[in-house]
Amino acid sequence: MNKLFLNISGMHCQSCQKLLESTLADLPGVSSAKIDYPEGKGQVEGKIKLDEQKIIAAIKQAGR
């Protein structure tokens, strides 16, 4: 299992957390995404090598 750990800023509430978890879980290769809103951290897991740039782009897009 491949893991990617992220620092995420700009979340305002738990709805942001749920949106990011759902958005990231839908990306190809991602098997799970856990976002910790109070801590501003995230963990994404996949069975293949994760494309960090695509994950970051998805986070930015979801935050618009």
Side-chain angles (χ1 to χ4, degrees):
M1 186 76 57
N2 291 296
K3 293 183 182 181
L4 180 61
F5 297 93
L6 304 162
N7 290 315
I8 303 170
S9 62
M11 290 187 288
H12 303 287
C13 62
Q14 288 186 340
S15 291
C16 295
Q17 173 182 317
K18 292 183 186 304
L19 173 65
L20 289 180
E21 287 175 340
S22 174
T23 298
L24 296 176
D26 287 343
L27 292 176
V30 173
S31 56
S32 73
K34 297 175 186 171
I35 307 297
D36 186 336
Y37 155 65
E39 295 293 323
K41 300 201 180 285
Q43 178 180 323
V44 182
E45 295 182 356
K47 293 182 180 178
I48 61 172
K49 183 172 176 8
L50 298 169
D51 186 334
E52 184 174 353
Q53 295 306 315
K54 286 184 180 180
I55 290 171
I56 291 170
I59 290 170
K60 289 180 179 179
Q61 182 66 30
R64 293 181 185 211

